[in-house]
Amino acid sequence: MELESKLIQLLADGGFHSGSRLAGQLGVSRTTVWKTLQKLHHLYGVEIHSVKGRGYRLAQSIDLLDERKILENCQSRDRLRGLDIHQSIESTNQWLAELPQAEFSGRVCLAECQTAGRGRRGRRWVSPFGQSLYLSIGWQFNCGAAELSGLSLAAGVAVARVLDQEGVPGVGLKWPNDLLWNDRKLAGLLLEVSGEQGGPSRVVLGLGLNVSLSHSQVEEIDQPWVDLARICEHPPARNLLASRLIDSLLQLFSSFEVQGPESLVESWNRFDVYRGRAVALLLGKERIEGVHRGIDATGALLLETADGLRTFHGGEVSLRRGK
Ligand code: BTN
């Protein structure tokens, strides 16, 4: 294991650790400890406090990702082709997308931080170290992309269900791919599809889920956000959550292949937080106002507008306040 990884493991509890004790544990000099801490800060953005006479500690404790713990709780080992955990990576979606065909389907990639995390509509996904889950899963479907409509919404339902089952109250879905809590963003999904028109299709599904963000590291997030630590007194452990999410998403992929989205409208409706509310849809430069009427069987948005009920496959929904 690299020195940086060993050091972060020693510091993960969030308590103070003296420089000389760390040096002893790692078998290096105190100067090397100090240099490695600098590296952790510059490379991964890890916030480290140094107090004279007490030593070093992380700004907040980190429940580090652990392959053994994740695999231990995974029920879907037969579908899982491999689990890769990175300390720092550009983007877990990107990493999977670049894998050779033979290693792709059923592969899961997780990272402690991303340097170029991708969000929907070309946005950046702010990805500080150890404070969220950045999880991507690759799957090859035999069908073409057109037959995969509804998959990303079904994935949102699967994630919402896992959170609900793990005791996170009040999780809702916002079309097409946001998980909200009290109108604040808790998580987002990004589905990237490539391949021939008639299939097969390579799908990379990426999930960014806020676990315990510190304000100083997420100043750039440009919308109201929330994390599990602010919702729950005892949030589920990151590794356990990762196992449950992997199980549920792999299960979804393998069943979607055979039967398509099973009762998507019904399961989506259970979590849809905007249904019946006055919204505006931004579609390029166009702004369409209406009442949100949920989704159709393909996962398209239904909007009751002045021109009647209309169906939309893309765009960004926002609430019209005071309506
Ligand atoms: C959104 O815009 O709401 C979707 C965000 C998706 C972010 C996740 S984090 C893991 C995976 N890797 C990425 O680069 N993006 C997705």
Side-chain angles (χ1 to χ4, degrees):
M1 201 193 293
E2 282 178 38
L3 193 55
E4 293 98 66
S5 303
K6 286 186 191 157
L7 182 54
I8 198 107
Q9 279 196 353
L10 293 172
L11 293 170
D13 61 10
F16 276 107
H17 296 259
S18 77
S20 51
R21 190 167 156 74
L22 289 170
Q25 286 168 307
L26 295 167
V28 297
S29 69
R30 284 171 59 185
T31 314
T32 305
V33 169
W34 186 79
K35 281 189 182 153
T36 314
L37 288 167
Q38 297 294 308
K39 209 168 155 190
L40 282 175
H41 180 64
H42 292 302
L43 279 182
Y44 305 156
V46 177
E47 262 189 284
I48 297 152
H49 294 172
S50 156
V51 174
K52 218 169 173 196
R54 300 195 70 185
Y56 304 103
R57 73 171 172 85
L58 297 182
Q60 62 183 78
S61 62
I62 300 180
D63 176 20
L64 288 168
L65 295 171
D66 182 324
E67 184 177 349
R68 189 186 51 79
K69 286 188 191 165
I70 295 175
L71 289 177
E72 217 168 65
N73 285 301
C74 261
Q75 313 286 316
S76 51
R77 301 259 191 91
D78 51 333
R79 297 190 184 108
L80 183 65
R81 162 120 351 140
L83 173 67
D84 297 84
I85 300 180
H86 302 261
Q87 296 282 342
S88 176
I89 199 173
E90 276 185 27
S91 149
T92 52
N93 264 34
Q94 179 68 31
W95 188 85
L96 278 181
E98 286 170 1
L99 274 187
Q101 194 58 31
E103 296 166 35
F104 173 74
S105 202
R107 193 80 170 254
V108 174
C109 177
L110 281 151
E112 291 290 7
C113 74
Q114 298 182 116
T115 53
R118 305 208 287 238
R120 285 180 61 241
R121 304 165 74 78
R123 295 203 189 105
R124 192 166 97 79
W125 187 257
V126 179
S127 309
F129 191 95
Q131 300 179 357
S132 290
L133 267 182
Y134 315 114
L135 167 85
S136 298
I137 305 188
W139 194 265
Q140 177 166 315
F141 290 86
N142 291 324
C143 58
E147 285 165 73
L148 295 174
S149 68
L151 178 62
S152 75
L153 276 80
V157 173
V159 174
R161 277 198 184 127
V162 167
L163 292 173
D164 187 50
Q165 281 157 9
E166 292 308 311
V168 183
V171 174
L173 287 166
K174 175 191 161 196
W175 186 89
N177 282 135
D178 286 356
L179 282 101
L180 302 185
W181 182 85
N182 271 358
D183 288 337
R184 297 177 163 269
K185 186 146 170 172
L186 171 64
L189 286 153
L190 176 68
L191 189 91
E192 298 182 295
V193 184
S194 59
E196 299 301 315
Q197 204 182 3
S201 306
R202 266 170 77 113
V203 167
V204 178
L205 177 78
L207 167 72
L209 168 66
N210 302 333
V211 175
S212 177
L213 301 177
S214 79
H215 274 280
S216 60
Q217 293 200 280
V218 294
E219 277 161 0
E220 307 137 80
I221 300 183
D222 57 359
Q223 56 186 322
W225 59 265
V226 73
D227 58 21
L228 294 179
R230 286 170 173 84
I231 301 176
C232 314
E233 204 179 333
H234 302 291
R238 248 175 13 129
N239 289 298
L240 181 67
L241 209 46
S243 315
R244 300 278 188 263
L245 289 164
I246 292 167
D247 278 343
S248 170
L249 292 167
L250 285 175
Q251 159 69 34
L252 168 71
F253 287 165
S254 60
S255 65
F256 200 97
E257 180 102 72
V258 189
Q259 62 202 37
E262 206 194 354
S263 53
L264 175 65
V265 178
E266 197 188 323
S267 48
W268 174 271
N269 283 348
R270 192 188 141 206
F271 291 102
D272 189 343
V273 282
Y274 279 13
R275 205 156 53 103
R277 294 168 84 176
V279 295
L281 180 77
L282 268 187
L283 201 56
K285 288 202 171 96
E286 209 187 344
R287 180 184 149 93
I288 302 135
E289 294 195 343
V291 177
H292 194 302
R293 291 295 178 211
I295 59 164
D296 71 9
T298 68
L301 172 72
L302 297 173
L303 211 57
E304 194 180 302
T305 69
D307 303 325
L309 192 65
R310 293 177 63 188
T311 305
F312 296 93
H313 295 273
E316 191 80 8
V317 180
S318 59
L319 284 178
R320 284 189 285 146
R321 298 283 168 196
K323 292 271 177 184

